[in-house]
Amino acid sequence: MSRILLLGGTTEAGALAQALAGAGIAAVYSYAGAVAAPRSQPLPVRVGGFGGIAGLCAYCRAEGIGAIIDATHPFAAQMSNHAVAAAAALGLPLAALERPPWQPVAGDRWIGVASMAEAAQHLVGRRVFLGIGRNELAAFGGGDGAQAGSGPRARRFLLRLVDPPQSPPLANADWVVARGPFTLAGDLALLRAHDITCIVSKNAGGSGAYAKIEAARALSLPVVMVARPQIAPRLSFATVAGVMGWLAQGAALGAAHNAGQLRGV
Ligand code: NAP
């Protein structure tokens, strides 16, 4: 009996896990292991990298995986590209659950950039909220972007992290430990309490991290918005219902065993 491999780590992946479990579809939920205590899931869970494309192929073969659903974060480009390559190598159907990017609306003051390095060159004011997680903080660690130093003109950063850091993740930084989804009231209070002058955000899309964008709009703060990385072409759905519909068509043909027919949907 083949199973679905659900690459997770997002709110949307959790919703899809619920739908799969509810429909009685055999699946395994995969976490990268980036968070100390990941949320429990209504599916069997595995944790940790596969060991590149070859490792992912070996895992799929060993575990009888019949289809891959990529519901990772839009900025998890390496995992997503590995999934495309492994699915192609094994002839497995692959679909992504991909939330649309946010679009600016009236009142937004976005500064669009293509990378964290570019974001570091467009910071405004001395109190910057880096709402980007912990993996790409190095871009803000020196040079003009950071205005590093300890004098009164030094720039100070506010970080929001899922796990408490073992050591300061960035010079001149304060941090709060919190896990989304976040609220407008909470993020307004956070930005005010730290006198934030500018926000750096990934264009993640979805609702869980959108409160900071709304709060910035309400306070008329600039948002340095980092565009998404390129992912290899793949079948993609914006909703859990879309993915479930794709699977249902495959199920009508004999579930994930019919990899070729699923792929043709
Ligand atoms: P990444 O740069 O694309 O992935 C780095 C490596 O981590 C991958 O090559 C893979 O290791 C492993 N990996 C990533 N996601 C995995 C998964 N779901 N299951 C098993 N292994 C996984 O991704 P990332 O930015 O480090 O993100 C890691 C996880 O955090 C993802 O699940 C993502 O959904 C979640 N997340 C990311 C962000 C973000 O902004 N990047 C934000 C929120 C949540 P191997 O090559 O060894 O297989």
Side-chain angles (χ1 to χ4, degrees):
M1 175 68 183
S2 68
R3 297 192 288 168
I4 305 288
L5 173 60
L6 171 57
L7 301 170
T10 58
T11 305
E12 290 75 11
L16 182 55
Q18 289 284 352
L20 291 169
I25 295 174
V28 57
Y29 186 112
S30 178
Y31 275 117
V35 170
R39 289 185 198 286
S40 66
Q41 298 294 339
L43 295 173
V45 168
R46 68 162 300 284
V47 181
F50 298 96
I53 297 166
L56 179 55
C57 287
Y59 174 87
C60 290
R61 280 198 203 97
E63 297 296 323
I65 298 300
I68 302 174
I69 300 174
D70 179 0
T72 57
H73 192 272
F75 280 71
Q78 182 167 303
M79 185 70 254
S80 293
N81 285 326
H82 286 183
V84 170
L90 298 174
L92 290 178
L94 165 78
L97 174 56
E98 201 176 17
R99 49 210 195 190
W102 297 318
Q103 302 294 338
V105 301
D108 280 333
R109 296 176 58 203
W110 287 14
I111 302 165
V113 297
S115 66
M116 286 300 163
E118 195 183 340
Q121 302 305 315
H122 288 83
L123 306 179
V124 179
R126 291 196 212 141
R127 305 281 300 183
V128 177
F129 176 34
L130 296 178
I132 59 170
R134 63 165 188 187
N135 288 345
E136 292 158 285
L137 297 174
F140 303 91
D144 293 345
Q147 288 181 1
S150 56
R153 294 196 57 75
R155 179 165 280 140
R156 198 146 187 93
F157 295 103
L158 173 65
L159 317 177
R160 181 156 60 190
L161 307 170
V162 174
D163 293 312
Q166 311 245 318
S167 57
L170 187 65
N172 289 352
D174 305 307
W175 55 86
V176 292
V177 175
R179 187 187 290 219
F182 301 104
T183 64
L184 174 58
D187 278 6
L188 273 172
L190 183 74
L191 300 183
R192 285 187 174 124
H194 291 265
D195 286 330
I196 294 301
T197 55
C198 160
I199 292 175
V200 179
S201 174
K202 297 173 179 175
N203 196 333
S207 59
Y210 191 60
K212 62 179 178 287
I213 308 303
E214 293 180 288
R217 185 185 310 137
L219 299 174
S220 200
L221 294 178
V223 175
V224 182
M225 185 64 79
V226 183
R228 293 178 174 194
Q230 288 286 327
I231 310 277
R234 61 204 174 151
L235 180 63
S236 178
F237 297 96
T239 62
V240 168
V243 175
M244 294 303 287
W246 174 70
L247 288 172
Q249 290 182 51
L253 298 170
H257 287 295
N258 293 299
Q261 295 179 56
L262 262 176
R263 197 169 54 242
V265 171

